[in-house]
Amino acid sequence: MYNHKMKRIIFLFVFLLLGQSLCAQTIVAGRVIDAIDNAPVVGAVVSLQSEQDTSKKRVSTDENGNFSITGLQPGKYILSVLYPGYSLWNRNIVLKTQDYFSGDIKLSQKSKTLHTVIVKERQIRAQQSGDTTQFNADAFNVNPDANTEDLIKKMPGITSDNNGLKANGEGIKKVLVDGKPFFGDDPNAALRNLPAETVDKIQIFDNQSDQANFTGFRDANTQKALNIVTKKGKRVGQFGRLYGGYGTNNRYQTGGNINFFKNVRRISLLGLSNNVNQQNFSISDIMNVMSNSGNQGSGAMGMPPPNMTGNSSGKTSGNSNTSSGPGALLTGQQSGITASQSLGINYSDSWGKNINISGSYFFNYTNNNSQTELVRKYFTDTALSYTENGFKQTFNQNHRLNLRMEYSIDANNALIFTPKLTFQRNKYHTALNAFNAHSDNGTLGATDTRDSAKNSGYNFSNSVLYQHKFHKKGRTVSLNVATELNDKNGSGAYNSMSTYGNTATISSLDQRYTTQSSDYVLSGTLSYTEPIGAHSQLMYSYTPSYSEGAVNKETNNKDSTTLQYNDFDTSLSNKYHKVYETHKNGLNYKYQKGNLNFTAGADVQIASLKGAQEFPVSVATGRSFNSILPSASFNYRINKAENLFVNYLTATNAPSLTQLQNVTDVSNPLQLSSGNPRLDQTYEHTFLARYGKTNTATAHNLFVFAMGSYVSDYISNATFIPSQDTLINDYQVMRGSQLTMPVNMNGYWSAKSFAVYSLPMSFLKSNLNVNAGITYNRTPAIINNITNYSGNWSMNTGFYLGSNISTNLDFSFSYNGNYNIVKNTVQTQSDNKYYSHNTNFKINWILPAGFVLGTDVTHSMYKGSASGFDQDFFLWNASVGYKLLKNKALEAKIYAFDILNQNRSISRSITETYTQDSKTNILTRYAMLSFTYTLRNFKKGEQAENTFSPPPGMPPPPRME
């Protein structure tokens, strides 16, 4: 009995002690701000270390700079705050029984260079918040003259090359600067013109449409975007770079950029002129106008038929056909060698408190010369091959204007205007020799062709979005009205001499043609959202769309008597008119609570596609389609360091005018092509999943991406290779040539996965990114009325080791390998395996005396290509520079490109019909003397003159929570 009472007394005493201890737990809270402009510092690491047991607790500041550390016992502690680019803040505090509030902790920017600062804690490299990944720029060391592209290449999962800018395997379509557009939709303009020293953070996120941002419901217009957050101390001043150089073989380059920043008012100018393949435009600028030349087929230089190969192409490119010399702006590469002249201006500002505006104008002129040798192996039982040697000279002129205006009428109403205008002119001349052959029967057909064309056109689009918030939270209405106008005109000439079959039938063409096409689109989206309960919301949407277009091609043969081109050729002329109309009603549900965000819904769509051929034969077609388009998305923030996102989407797409127009393209007599007015719309299912995990304490990061799609009525190719002369589409297709036309087929699907893991290599003072991925495409096609399914496996792996020693010594070592397997269901003898890899080492070293040494070496290897296309070579570039003037702003440099004179350009393309290997002329060895002047004139301590309040419901530029 006594023992029992004693146990109860001891238990009660211990309970009281524990209760007192629990009740004595206190909280440390406060706010972290910038010492200059009092702006909140987001993502700063706040540490609290006990002096008694050396235990430590860490938290990160939220979007308002606030932090809170709970569950603390009374005692003595060291409170510290760390954030890249700022000096470490420390304070000794004593906790008693009351909560401790630090008030505003003001962080001061570092005044000394990084190599003189002793950093006691590892800098935060990456953070994950929802579907936004943020990288802190100061955690990655680059040279003082580096641009933003040099910086982001060191960040986990981000790559930038001739195939475009990607994040974890997904293409980045838009780059923003402090949340605002920069030179329209050209991702490279900001990356290659903004100095790395101005960058505070890099954010990767899903950029949704303005209407989706307002309603909170994800739509099909989502794009992967990169936002460059500039440093607060770099937002007032002038900065930029001017360069010029001349070298051997008459190589030259000159250009530069200059930026005038005054907080929200920003003006950027850029320009260049060179003949070393520095191009500052998107490849779509060229193809948009060229697609109206009548060259629908493969044509000269082996260009694939536009809009006809779908997603079936898997490509491994040869070494970059560019110079990486001083001031390089490498974008949207054409094959061959290009001389470019470009000029652009970008402007953004806030006009008062209600208007936010940004716009840009860009001009580009290029002269491209390319020589190509290619071999195609068709998936046929007769081992058909096509060989081509060709030359092409292309002149392209492009004007682009973009404008975006956001007008906040009041607290509940807003308007957003986004007009775009593009003018283009293009002309080209081609010459090619080509032949088709069987492995056992020899040459079936051969041609000697000369083509030329001139094209011009414009594209105008505009979107007006009205947004209204009701007083009830979550109840909104928005209306978006969009228009698009296109007009293209062209003329050209076909001149060819061809032989067909074993009888050596000779056929010649001497023709002139004109083309004209125009179309317009009018569409709108009305959306209404209504809250249901504390965590749920419904959205009803109605989306009508009407598009109408016409295309006309007239071809005339040369009259042998008058020698005039007045012999009208009805078989190669056509007039076609198309109307595509859709009405879509949708209902979506969203649930959001805590770390979970889930949406699901469906649209009911009624569509009609009407076509009318007016010439040479009057034919009208009409089809209607009823579709249910479900969608769903799931976003779960597992914790502050982990996030899972899953998305499912369906969509339909109508065939283009080019695909529908039933006229034969004879620009290459051996590779004929034609449209198909009987095409239906496609129906596509897309599944996407992402997982991200960041450990701020160890700087380890993991990102995983997976995507799959299935397309019903996929627009593929039907290829006819006649064994004798055959009349197809009212045109005589000779034995020894072939005709390709688009057809709807089922059975297309693709899958892609990519993963990247990054970690610091402390013993090397470097960061290591390791990646791997698998891609599979299964594409149906018809070859001589036999259906073949071509499967292409592509497995890749690689790593990137980037130094983080100091800003004076910057090196990188990278490897990328790709192994491909091609399998066919019908012609298994056409199955193939091939491998390629690229290994690169690059170093740039700024010596104390002012000398700058740089070199980069790339080893490229390609195995398994067609005979004569395998390659194994080194590309070695090197430079020696010296920095002049008191502030080292001027650099003189001698640069040598391709020292070993081994540079090559090869590529392999896999389509549903053939495997193609090609070689193209490329920039080779030259040396250049250049001078580069860097302007840096920043002012600190100035406050923003104007501040802009976003329209109601529209989020500000992405920030970490």
Side-chain angles (χ1 to χ4, degrees), residues 287 291 376 536 585 601 643:
M287 295 309 297
S291 64
R376 291 178 184 172
S536 299
N585 288 271
N643 191 81

Side-chain angles (χ1 to χ4, degrees), residues 306-362:
N307 302 317
M308 293 171 65
T309 57
N311 297 323
S312 61
S313 293
K315 188 173 183 180
T316 60
S317 298
N319 215 346
S320 170
N321 192 24
T322 64
S323 162
S324 56
L329 302 173
L330 314 178
T331 68
Q333 291 305 133
Q334 294 174 291
S335 59
I337 299 176
T338 302
S340 303
Q341 288 79 42
S342 302
L343 179 67
I345 180 171
N346 189 83
Y347 171 80
S348 63
D349 197 1
S350 292
W351 295 350
K353 294 184 178 181
N354 296 332
I355 297 178
N356 195 16
I357 187 169
S358 63
S360 65
Y361 165 75
F362 192 82

Side-chain angles (χ1 to χ4, degrees), residues 72 109-110 235 292 324 434 499 563 580 586 645 699 815 828 860 875 898 911:
L72 301 172
Q109 295 187 15
K110 295 178 182 178
R235 295 178 181 176
N292 192 43
S324 56
T499 58
L563 301 182
Y580 182 63
F645 174 76
Y815 170 84
T828 58
S860 300
L875 175 63
D898 190 20
T911 75

